[in-house]
Amino acid sequence: ATLAMATQQQQASPNIDITKIYLYQNIKTQAPSSTPLSTLQLIRIISTSSNIISPTTLVIGFNPQTTSYDTDGWKAVNTVPILKLACTKWYYETSDGVKGPV
């Protein structure tokens, strides 16, 4: 049953890859980052409301082994499925009402 669930999730979200590496465009200088960041690093930076990377910051997938770039080119963070989730404001509800964003 677990394998079937994993397969279903993978089929439902084929564009989500948490192992992917990216370069981002510096907001102030407009230059590409000199250090590649993992998807998980980007999620952490984005979800902490950092001024380093915003939802409209451009990112490009990067393969450090071949030093090649995604053929899709540069994309805004809020258009990359897994990163888009990190940009989302999350709220929760208690008996006292809606709280957040968290």
Side-chain angles (χ1 to χ4, degrees), residues 21-36:
I21 303 294
Y22 291 91
L23 295 176
Y24 68 92
Q25 186 180 41
N26 184 298
I27 293 172
K28 292 180 182 176
T29 66
Q30 304 302 310
S33 56
S34 57
T35 304

Side-chain angles (χ1 to χ4, degrees), residues 21 23 36 61-71:
I21 303 294
L23 295 176
F62 178 69
N63 183 331
Q65 281 79 31
T66 63
T67 63
S68 61
Y69 303 93
D70 272 3
T71 56

Side-chain angles (χ1 to χ4, degrees), residues 1 5 8 19 21 23 29 31-34 39-40 49 57 59-60 64-65 69 71-72 78-79 85:
M5 281 179 68
Q8 282 179 327
T19 63
I21 303 294
L23 295 176
T29 66
S33 56
S34 57
T39 300
L40 294 177
S49 300
T57 299
V59 293
I60 191 168
Q65 281 79 31
Y69 303 93
T71 56
D72 292 342
N78 62 8
T79 65
L85 291 174

Side-chain angles (χ1 to χ4, degrees), residues 1-100:
T2 305
L3 180 59
M5 281 179 68
T7 303
Q8 282 179 327
Q9 288 175 337
Q10 198 172 33
Q11 289 172 348
S13 304
N15 295 327
I16 295 178
D17 178 4
I18 62 168
T19 63
K20 194 165 186 169
I21 303 294
Y22 291 91
L23 295 176
Y24 68 92
Q25 186 180 41
N26 184 298
I27 293 172
K28 292 180 182 176
T29 66
Q30 304 302 310
S33 56
S34 57
T35 304
L37 297 176
S38 71
T39 300
L40 294 177
Q41 288 172 313
L42 280 170
I43 289 170
R44 177 72 176 149
I45 293 168
I46 294 163
S47 64
T48 58
S49 300
S50 166
N51 291 331
I52 299 168
I53 298 174
S54 76
T56 57
T57 299
L58 296 178
V59 293
I60 191 168
F62 178 69
N63 183 331
Q65 281 79 31
T66 63
T67 63
S68 61
Y69 303 93
D70 272 3
T71 56
D72 292 342
W74 292 90
K75 295 180 177 182
V77 164
N78 62 8
T79 65
V80 178
I82 189 78
L83 300 178
K84 182 178 182 176
L85 291 174
C87 296
T88 304
K89 301 286 186 218
W90 295 91
Y91 297 85
Y92 63 98
E93 188 171 348
T94 67
S95 58
D96 295 332
V98 175
K99 307 286 183 180

